[in-house]
PDB file of all heavy atoms in Angstrom:
ATOM      1  N   LEU A1342     -51.025 -75.548 -86.988  1.00 84.00           N
ATOM      2  CA  LEU A1342     -50.014 -75.557 -85.960  1.00 84.00           C
ATOM      3  C   LEU A1342     -48.601 -75.504 -86.567  1.00 84.00           C
ATOM      4  O   LEU A1342     -47.704 -74.851 -86.016  1.00 84.00           O
ATOM      5  CB  LEU A1342     -50.183 -76.804 -85.077  1.00 84.00           C
ATOM      6  CG  LEU A1342     -49.374 -76.804 -83.788  1.00 84.00           C
ATOM      7  CD1 LEU A1342     -49.873 -75.703 -82.869  1.00 84.00           C
ATOM      8  CD2 LEU A1342     -49.455 -78.138 -83.093  1.00 84.00           C
ATOM      9  N   ALA A1345     -48.050 -71.863 -87.433  1.00 82.00           N
ATOM     10  CA  ALA A1345     -48.000 -70.904 -86.316  1.00 82.00           C
ATOM     11  C   ALA A1345     -47.915 -71.694 -85.009  1.00 82.00           C
ATOM     12  O   ALA A1345     -48.861 -71.735 -84.235  1.00 82.00           O
ATOM     13  CB  ALA A1345     -49.273 -70.038 -86.331  1.00 82.00           C
ATOM     14  N   PRO A1346     -46.710 -72.302 -84.770  1.00 80.00           N
ATOM     15  CA  PRO A1346     -46.610 -73.228 -83.623  1.00 80.00           C
ATOM     16  C   PRO A1346     -46.838 -72.561 -82.275  1.00 80.00           C
ATOM     17  O   PRO A1346     -47.220 -73.237 -81.331  1.00 80.00           O
ATOM     18  CB  PRO A1346     -45.188 -73.776 -83.749  1.00 80.00           C
ATOM     19  CG  PRO A1346     -44.470 -72.920 -84.731  1.00 80.00           C
ATOM     20  CD  PRO A1346     -45.507 -72.198 -85.572  1.00 80.00           C
ATOM     21  N   GLU A1347     -46.614 -71.246 -82.188  1.00 75.00           N
ATOM     22  CA  GLU A1347     -46.747 -70.627 -80.864  1.00 75.00           C
ATOM     23  C   GLU A1347     -48.080 -69.920 -80.670  1.00 75.00           C
ATOM     24  O   GLU A1347     -48.359 -69.368 -79.603  1.00 75.00           O
ATOM     25  CB  GLU A1347     -45.623 -69.585 -80.649  1.00 75.00           C
ATOM     26  CG  GLU A1347     -44.223 -70.167 -80.683  1.00 75.00           C
ATOM     27  CD  GLU A1347     -44.046 -71.339 -79.682  1.00 75.00           C
ATOM     28  OE1 GLU A1347     -44.648 -71.278 -78.631  1.00 75.00           O
ATOM     29  OE2 GLU A1347     -43.319 -72.267 -80.036  1.00 75.00           O
ATOM     30  N   ASP A1348     -48.893 -69.890 -81.701  1.00 77.00           N
ATOM     31  CA  ASP A1348     -50.135 -69.112 -81.623  1.00 77.00           C
ATOM     32  C   ASP A1348     -51.112 -69.740 -80.618  1.00 77.00           C
ATOM     33  O   ASP A1348     -51.536 -70.875 -80.831  1.00 77.00           O
ATOM     34  CB  ASP A1348     -50.755 -69.042 -82.995  1.00 77.00           C
ATOM     35  CG  ASP A1348     -51.967 -68.132 -83.086  1.00 77.00           C
ATOM     36  OD1 ASP A1348     -52.751 -68.181 -82.122  1.00 77.00           O
ATOM     37  OD2 ASP A1348     -52.093 -67.381 -84.027  1.00 77.00           O
ATOM     38  N   PRO A1349     -51.480 -69.018 -79.534  1.00 74.00           N
ATOM     39  CA  PRO A1349     -52.325 -69.634 -78.507  1.00 74.00           C
ATOM     40  C   PRO A1349     -53.701 -70.036 -79.060  1.00 74.00           C
ATOM     41  O   PRO A1349     -54.288 -71.028 -78.639  1.00 74.00           O
ATOM     42  CB  PRO A1349     -52.483 -68.578 -77.428  1.00 74.00           C
ATOM     43  CG  PRO A1349     -51.996 -67.305 -78.031  1.00 74.00           C
ATOM     44  CD  PRO A1349     -51.134 -67.643 -79.228  1.00 74.00           C
ATOM     45  N   TYR A1350     -54.210 -69.258 -80.020  1.00 73.00           N
ATOM     46  CA  TYR A1350     -55.530 -69.554 -80.585  1.00 73.00           C
ATOM     47  C   TYR A1350     -55.480 -70.905 -81.311  1.00 73.00           C
ATOM     48  O   TYR A1350     -56.274 -71.803 -81.058  1.00 73.00           O
ATOM     49  CB  TYR A1350     -55.878 -68.422 -81.560  1.00 73.00           C
ATOM     50  CG  TYR A1350     -57.196 -68.552 -82.219  1.00 73.00           C
ATOM     51  CD1 TYR A1350     -58.347 -68.087 -81.591  1.00 73.00           C
ATOM     52  CD2 TYR A1350     -57.343 -69.138 -83.447  1.00 73.00           C
ATOM     53  CE1 TYR A1350     -59.583 -68.199 -82.206  1.00 73.00           C
ATOM     54  CE2 TYR A1350     -58.566 -69.248 -84.063  1.00 73.00           C
ATOM     55  CZ  TYR A1350     -59.698 -68.768 -83.449  1.00 73.00           C
ATOM     56  OH  TYR A1350     -60.922 -68.882 -84.017  1.00 73.00           O
ATOM     57  N   VAL A1351     -54.465 -71.037 -82.161  1.00 76.00           N
ATOM     58  CA  VAL A1351     -54.312 -72.274 -82.910  1.00 76.00           C
ATOM     59  C   VAL A1351     -54.063 -73.443 -81.953  1.00 76.00           C
ATOM     60  O   VAL A1351     -54.665 -74.503 -82.092  1.00 76.00           O
ATOM     61  CB  VAL A1351     -53.153 -72.125 -83.945  1.00 76.00           C
ATOM     62  CG1 VAL A1351     -52.847 -73.460 -84.589  1.00 76.00           C
ATOM     63  CG2 VAL A1351     -53.525 -71.099 -85.000  1.00 76.00           C
ATOM     64  N   ARG A1352     -53.192 -73.234 -80.979  1.00 76.00           N
ATOM     65  CA  ARG A1352     -52.858 -74.334 -80.064  1.00 76.00           C
ATOM     66  C   ARG A1352     -54.101 -74.836 -79.345  1.00 76.00           C
ATOM     67  O   ARG A1352     -54.253 -76.036 -79.160  1.00 76.00           O
ATOM     68  CB  ARG A1352     -51.829 -73.857 -79.046  1.00 76.00           C
ATOM     69  CG  ARG A1352     -50.421 -73.660 -79.636  1.00 76.00           C
ATOM     70  CD  ARG A1352     -49.392 -73.409 -78.575  1.00 76.00           C
ATOM     71  NE  ARG A1352     -49.064 -74.630 -77.837  1.00 76.00           N
ATOM     72  CZ  ARG A1352     -48.216 -75.532 -78.249  1.00 76.00           C
ATOM     73  NH1 ARG A1352     -47.622 -75.422 -79.430  1.00 76.00           N
ATOM     74  NH2 ARG A1352     -47.982 -76.618 -77.555  1.00 76.00           N
ATOM     75  N   HIS A1353     -54.957 -73.924 -78.921  1.00 77.00           N
ATOM     76  CA  HIS A1353     -56.142 -74.356 -78.210  1.00 77.00           C
ATOM     77  C   HIS A1353     -57.067 -75.181 -79.128  1.00 77.00           C
ATOM     78  O   HIS A1353     -57.600 -76.226 -78.737  1.00 77.00           O
ATOM     79  CB  HIS A1353     -56.897 -73.149 -77.643  1.00 77.00           C
ATOM     80  CG  HIS A1353     -58.022 -73.566 -76.727  1.00 77.00           C
ATOM     81  ND1 HIS A1353     -57.817 -74.208 -75.536  1.00 77.00           N
ATOM     82  CD2 HIS A1353     -59.359 -73.456 -76.881  1.00 77.00           C
ATOM     83  CE1 HIS A1353     -58.992 -74.472 -74.976  1.00 77.00           C
ATOM     84  NE2 HIS A1353     -59.948 -74.036 -75.758  1.00 77.00           N
ATOM     85  N   LEU A1354     -57.223 -74.723 -80.364  1.00 74.00           N
ATOM     86  CA  LEU A1354     -58.093 -75.461 -81.289  1.00 74.00           C
ATOM     87  C   LEU A1354     -57.490 -76.831 -81.577  1.00 74.00           C
ATOM     88  O   LEU A1354     -58.211 -77.829 -81.660  1.00 74.00           O
ATOM     89  CB  LEU A1354     -58.224 -74.701 -82.617  1.00 74.00           C
ATOM     90  CG  LEU A1354     -59.072 -73.417 -82.537  1.00 74.00           C
ATOM     91  CD1 LEU A1354     -59.052 -72.704 -83.868  1.00 74.00           C
ATOM     92  CD2 LEU A1354     -60.510 -73.760 -82.138  1.00 74.00           C
ATOM     93  N   VAL A1355     -56.140 -76.882 -81.707  1.00 73.00           N
ATOM     94  CA  VAL A1355     -55.524 -78.161 -81.983  1.00 73.00           C
ATOM     95  C   VAL A1355     -55.722 -79.107 -80.777  1.00 73.00           C
ATOM     96  O   VAL A1355     -55.977 -80.298 -80.935  1.00 73.00           O
ATOM     97  CB  VAL A1355     -54.008 -77.959 -82.309  1.00 73.00           C
ATOM     98  CG1 VAL A1355     -53.352 -79.284 -82.557  1.00 73.00           C
ATOM     99  CG2 VAL A1355     -53.877 -77.100 -83.577  1.00 73.00           C
ATOM    100  N   SER A1356     -55.590 -78.557 -79.570  1.00 73.00           N
ATOM    101  CA  SER A1356     -55.810 -79.373 -78.382  1.00 73.00           C
ATOM    102  C   SER A1356     -57.224 -79.928 -78.411  1.00 73.00           C
ATOM    103  O   SER A1356     -57.478 -81.086 -78.109  1.00 73.00           O
ATOM    104  CB  SER A1356     -55.661 -78.554 -77.112  1.00 73.00           C
ATOM    105  OG  SER A1356     -54.413 -77.960 -77.071  1.00 73.00           O
ATOM    106  N   ALA A1357     -58.198 -79.058 -78.797  1.00 71.00           N
ATOM    107  CA  ALA A1357     -59.604 -79.474 -78.805  1.00 71.00           C
ATOM    108  C   ALA A1357     -59.802 -80.606 -79.794  1.00 71.00           C
ATOM    109  O   ALA A1357     -60.669 -81.447 -79.592  1.00 71.00           O
ATOM    110  CB  ALA A1357     -60.493 -78.300 -79.142  1.00 71.00           C
ATOM    111  N   LEU A1361     -53.138 -82.343 -79.635  1.00 63.00           N
ATOM    112  CA  LEU A1361     -52.120 -81.852 -78.672  1.00 63.00           C
ATOM    113  C   LEU A1361     -52.673 -82.135 -77.280  1.00 63.00           C
ATOM    114  O   LEU A1361     -53.908 -82.053 -77.103  1.00 63.00           O
ATOM    115  CB  LEU A1361     -51.946 -80.322 -78.787  1.00 63.00           C
ATOM    116  CG  LEU A1361     -50.881 -79.703 -79.664  1.00 63.00           C
ATOM    117  CD1 LEU A1361     -50.905 -78.199 -79.443  1.00 63.00           C
ATOM    118  CD2 LEU A1361     -49.525 -80.193 -79.271  1.00 63.00           C
ATOM    119  N   PRO A1368     -56.253 -70.555 -73.142  1.00 81.00           N
ATOM    120  CA  PRO A1368     -55.366 -69.412 -72.981  1.00 81.00           C
ATOM    121  C   PRO A1368     -56.121 -68.079 -73.092  1.00 81.00           C
ATOM    122  O   PRO A1368     -57.042 -67.954 -73.887  1.00 81.00           O
ATOM    123  CB  PRO A1368     -54.363 -69.549 -74.120  1.00 81.00           C
ATOM    124  CG  PRO A1368     -54.588 -70.891 -74.726  1.00 81.00           C
ATOM    125  CD  PRO A1368     -55.959 -71.350 -74.323  1.00 81.00           C
TER     126      PRO A1368
END
Side-chain angles (χ1 to χ4, degrees):
L1342 193 65
E1347 299 306 326
D1348 187 317
Y1350 181 86
V1351 171
R1352 288 188 74 81
H1353 187 66
L1354 289 176
V1355 178
S1356 304
L1361 265 185

